Amino acid sequence: MKKLTKSLHALAGMTLLAGMAGGAFAATATDAGAKAEMAAAQLGPRPFYLIDAMQDSPLKERLSACKDQSFSRSDLSIGHRGAPLQFPEHTRESYVAAARMGAGVVECDVTFTKDRELVCRHSQSDLHTTTNILAVPELAEKCTVAPDYSSDTPFKDVECRTSDVTLDEFLSLKGKMDAGNKEAKTLEEYMNSTAAYRTDLYAANGTLMSHRQSIALFQQLGVKMTPELKGAAVEMPFEGDYSQHDYAQQMINDYKELGVDPANVLAQSFNLEDVKYWLANEPAFGAQGVYLDDRYDIEGFDYSNPATWSPSMGELQAMGVKIIAPPLWMLVTAENGKIVPSVYATAAKDAGLDIITWSLERSGPLNGGGGWYYQSINDITSNDGNTFDLLDVLVQDVGVIGVFSDWPATVTYYAGCSS
């Protein structure tokens, strides 16, 4: 079996990680002690549980042999919204947990408030499921669609957007686990609907953050940053004069004003035009721009048939795109009972594109095939240990340079064991 050291050695030679590994945080981190503490990863029991669940194999033997070693932060490990398997996403607590688990890169999904301030939230229209806004009457009434308590299902159409509230109002809220029962009769029933494989143990006091606050925290923690410019739920230009380009530029301006080295920022978007804007107008940041590929939603798209891809991998590369980021399942397929790279993965590599993927540890228990994130290999996914089987193929055979995970310790363990 090939060693991950080969992949990481090649990875280190790439422009992206060469720029990111230069110690730029030494000048910006405000707490060297905190950085040193975070660099020593604290993995907890989950990676060991996953290894024990694996079927006997050379990979299981290799991973088992590392159980007594110490682990350090890895750029392969990306905190997807922090560590939302257990902590409310995009909260300070979730980000700190991700850094403690060895994530070398942490994500703030970026959207904007009523007063056009940038904040960390997965969607502009998810405050009703990710915060306590519905339990704050004076803010709940500002929602785009407030609860209708005269109805038998008062929450069926509820929608609360970041653009419904000011930054100060946003920061007064508390983060909770992302969940909401649209058929609920009461507010308590609506809010107490967290998935069984997650937990509300840490959801009482989730601290929401502005984009600029997240940057300051990430600088303190000594991690790299991967902001995702989220699509707006409101019509753009917002209020007639805040355009998509204004929005895309504002996100980059926050990093510039706070003195962050562009090499330590991987700006993401599902909107290819955003990536092209950064390439043209902020090339130092655009050089690490990440095109999040959601073309699976386009009718007729087939990840195994290049004729259905527009633009092609070569056309993306010609535009200046260097990093593409599809979901896990688009990079693999099942062949003779084994996980192997997909046509899509091979084409991306052949075009010279680097690959990041999402999101490991987001599927809950894998004994039922793994669901959406594992859809191309559902038939050969049978237990939680398959998490490491998939990760091994993604790194060794596909050659990904980063893996978003809802529980970064798993990727940190793999990277540390294989170095």
Side-chain angles (χ1 to χ4, degrees), residues 22-270:
F25 280 95
T28 58
T30 59
D31 187 341
K35 280 178 56 182
E37 179 187 359
M38 291 295 175
Q42 302 172 33
L43 302 184
R46 183 160 177 79
F48 307 95
Y49 163 80
L50 296 177
I51 293 167
D52 290 342
M54 295 175 69
Q55 295 180 354
D56 291 341
S57 67
L59 175 62
K60 181 175 182 176
E61 291 179 10
R62 177 159 64 89
L63 294 176
S64 296
C66 298
K67 287 184 175 181
D68 294 327
Q69 77 175 48
S70 59
F71 293 84
S72 301
R73 176 176 295 153
S74 170
D75 290 339
L76 183 69
S77 180
I78 304 176
H80 178 241
R81 314 184 200 179
L85 184 62
Q86 291 195 17
F87 292 85
E89 64 186 46
H90 293 307
T91 60
R92 186 184 192 281
E93 294 77 12
S94 191
Y95 293 151
V96 171
R100 287 193 183 279
M101 284 188 277
V105 187
V106 182
E107 178 187 46
C108 165
D109 288 329
V110 177
T111 187
F112 57 87
T113 60
K114 185 177 181 63
D115 49 351
R116 304 182 189 184
E117 296 290 341
L118 302 184
V119 296
C120 298
R121 203 92 318 244
H122 177 65
S123 167
Q124 190 171 52
S125 55
D126 72 1
L127 292 186
H128 48 291
T129 61
T130 65
T131 76
N132 67 332
I133 191 170
L134 296 180
V136 184
E138 63 271 23
L139 296 183
E141 66 183 16
K142 296 185 177 185
C143 291
T144 295
V145 181
D148 178 7
Y149 288 106
S150 68
S151 168
D152 289 338
T153 53
F155 307 99
K156 185 174 183 179
D157 299 313
V158 70
E159 181 181 0
C160 303
R161 299 175 177 174
T162 59
S163 53
D164 293 333
V165 296
T166 66
L167 175 61
D168 286 346
E169 290 169 336
F170 173 85
L171 293 176
S172 74
L173 298 172
K174 296 296 183 182
K176 73 176 191 68
M177 298 301 283
D178 184 11
N181 177 6
K182 287 184 174 294
E183 302 305 314
K185 307 292 185 183
T186 66
L187 177 60
E188 182 180 18
E189 186 181 356
Y190 177 83
M191 295 183 68
N192 294 337
S193 53
T194 299
Y197 61 87
R198 295 182 176 143
T199 179
D200 286 321
L201 281 174
Y202 309 105
N205 295 293
T207 306
L208 271 59
M209 306 197 78
S210 71
H211 181 229
R212 292 174 71 91
Q213 286 174 336
S214 78
I215 294 172
L217 176 64
F218 296 162
Q219 288 177 313
Q220 180 181 355
L221 297 175
V223 297
K224 286 105 180 180
M225 312 172 194
T226 183
E228 180 190 336
L229 194 74
K230 302 303 297 189
V234 297
E235 183 178 351
M236 298 292 278
F238 179 54
E239 297 180 335
D241 62 350
Y242 183 65
S243 70
Q244 184 69 24
H245 286 171
D246 293 333
Y247 177 31
Q249 185 63 54
Q250 183 181 357
M251 188 181 87
I252 299 302
N253 287 346
D254 280 353
Y255 292 95
K256 295 168 68 174
E257 292 169 9
L258 292 173
V260 180
D261 187 334
N264 291 321
V265 180
L266 288 83
Q268 318 167 62
S269 182
F270 281 105

Side-chain angles (χ1 to χ4, degrees), residues 329-344:
W329 64 266
M330 285 175 61
L331 293 172
V332 294
T333 190
E335 187 175 290
N336 298 322
K338 297 184 179 296
I339 304 171
V340 298
S342 66
V343 171
Y344 177 103

